Amino acid sequence: MDDNKKAAQRKVVSHAIMWIVLLVMFVAFIFPFILVIINVFKTKADITSNPLALIGAHGFTIDNFPNAMEKMNFLNVFKNSLLITFISTVLTLLISSMAAFVIVRNKWKACTLLFAGMVASMVIPFQVLMIPLVSLYGGIFGVLNSRITLILMHVGFSLSMATFMFHGAIHTNIPLELEEAAFIDGCTRWETYWKIVFPLLKPTIATVAIIDAMAFWNDYLLPSLVLGRKELYTIPIATQAFYGTYSTDMGLVMAALLLAMLPILILYLFLQRYIVEGVTSGAVKG
C-alpha cells in the first residue's frame, strides 16, 4: 500500500513539474507579444522610460495606430501583402497537390527522380541562392520590381515542402480503391482528383496553407531583394520606415507589428484544428 501511495505521489510531483516547465516555456514565448500589446498604447517617452508598466505616465493612447498607418502607407502595403500571399498560397496548394498526386499514383522513373530532387532541394539554404537570383533575374532578365516575379519565386521555393507533405497524405490516407471506384463510375483522372482526392486532403491543405501563408506574409528577405519601388512594398519592408539612423519610435513600430500580425493570427485561429491532423497525416501508414 505504501509503495502504491509513493508511486501516486511521484506521479503527482512529476505532473506538477511538467506543468511548471510548460508554463515557464509558455510565458517565455508569449512575453514578447505581451510587451507589444502593453507598449502599443503608450507614447514614445513612456516606452523608453518604463516598457514594463501597464499604463504609461502620459496615459492610454491610440495615436500610434493612425500615425503608423499613415507613415507606412498601410492600405497600399496591406493590399500588396494580401495579394502576394493569397495568390502564392493558392498556386502552391494547387500545383503541389497535383504534383504529389501524379508522383504517388504513377510508378514512372521520372516521378521518382523528380520527387527525390524536390526532397534534396529542401536542404539548400536560401542564402546560397540570393546573389545568383538577383544577378540572373535582375541583371540579365530584368524582371525584378514585379509582384508576379515575387509570387512565382515564393511558389518555387515553397513547392518542394508542400509536395512532400501532400505526397505523404495521399500515399497514406487515400486508398487506391476509391479512385478505382471513381474510374468504374466514369470519372476521368482529372475529375477523380477534384471530386475524390482533393476534398480528402482538407487537413493537409489547411496545414500547408497556414505554414506557407505565414512564411509569405512575414517574409522580409526575398521581397527586399525583388521589390525596389515603394508602391510595391509589403508590410515587413514598410516597417523599416520606423527605424531611423539615430532614433526609433518603438510605439509606431509596435503598432505596425500588431497590424501586420492580426490577419495571419486570425487565419491561424480559423485553421488551427486542422494543423496537427495535417502534419501527422502522412507520418504513419495506416
Side-chain angles (χ1 to χ4, degrees), residues 244-266:
T245 305
Y246 302 105
S247 65
T248 299
D249 192 334
M250 293 306 299
L252 298 185
V253 172
M254 292 182 183
L257 292 176
L258 191 60
L259 290 170
M261 74 173 70
L262 281 178
I264 208 70
L265 184 62
I266 293 170

Side-chain angles (χ1 to χ4, degrees), residues 76-90 147-148 151 154 216-217 232 234:
N76 182 63
V77 298
F78 180 83
K79 178 196 71 176
N80 290 335
S81 289
L82 187 64
L83 189 67
I84 291 169
T85 300
F86 178 77
I87 296 177
S88 300
T89 303
V90 170
R147 296 188 191 95
I148 296 175
I151 288 170
H154 274 320
F216 300 151
W217 185 270
L232 298 177
T234 57

Side-chain angles (χ1 to χ4, degrees), residues 5 10-11 26-28 54 81 92 103 106 135 143 150 206 209 213 220 250 253-254 267 286:
K5 190 173 182 180
R10 283 196 297 268
K11 189 175 182 180
F26 173 76
V27 171
L54 292 177
S81 289
T92 301
I103 291 170
N106 295 282
S135 300
V143 293
L150 180 59
Y220 173 82
M250 293 306 299
V253 172
M254 292 182 183
L267 176 65

Side-chain angles (χ1 to χ4, degrees), residues 66-209:
N67 292 340
M69 292 176 70
E70 181 182 358
K71 189 170 182 179
M72 69 188 297
N73 194 7
F74 182 75
L75 293 180
N76 182 63
V77 298
F78 180 83
K79 178 196 71 176
N80 290 335
S81 289
L82 187 64
L83 189 67
I84 291 169
T85 300
F86 178 77
I87 296 177
S88 300
T89 303
V90 170
L91 287 177
T92 301
L93 290 172
L94 293 177
I95 296 173
S96 60
S97 61
M98 288 189 284
F101 177 62
V102 172
I103 291 170
V104 171
R105 295 307 186 217
N106 295 282
K107 303 304 179 183
W108 304 332
K109 191 172 183 179
C111 290
T112 304
L113 292 175
L114 176 63
F115 186 64
M118 284 185 166
V119 174
S121 69
M122 289 163 55
V123 304
I124 302 175
F126 172 73
Q127 289 77 6
V128 174
L129 306 173
M130 280 171 39
I131 295 176
L133 196 73
V134 175
S135 300
L136 180 65
Y137 289 99
I140 298 177
F141 296 130
V143 293
L144 297 183
N145 282 318
S146 169
R147 296 188 191 95
I148 296 175
T149 301
L150 180 59
I151 288 170
L152 294 177
M153 287 184 178
H154 274 320
V155 174
F157 284 118
S158 62
L159 208 56
S160 296
M161 175 61 77
T163 303
F164 178 78
M165 294 183 68
F166 278 116
H167 182 282
I170 294 172
H171 182 71
T172 304
N173 297 331
I174 301 180
L176 186 59
E177 290 78 8
L178 285 177
E179 298 172 34
E180 292 173 346
F183 289 143
I184 293 173
D185 290 338
C187 286
T188 63
R189 179 61 66 91
W190 183 252
E191 290 172 333
T192 300
Y193 167 76
W194 281 113
K195 295 180 180 180
I196 305 297
V197 177
F198 194 74
L200 294 175
L201 293 173
K202 188 183 293 184
T204 308
I205 291 170
T207 304
V208 174

Side-chain angles (χ1 to χ4, degrees), residues 51-74:
L52 296 179
L54 292 177
I55 300 177
H58 295 86
F60 184 89
T61 179
I62 60 171
D63 291 341
N64 289 325
F65 288 101
N67 292 340
M69 292 176 70
E70 181 182 358
K71 189 170 182 179
M72 69 188 297
N73 194 7
F74 182 75

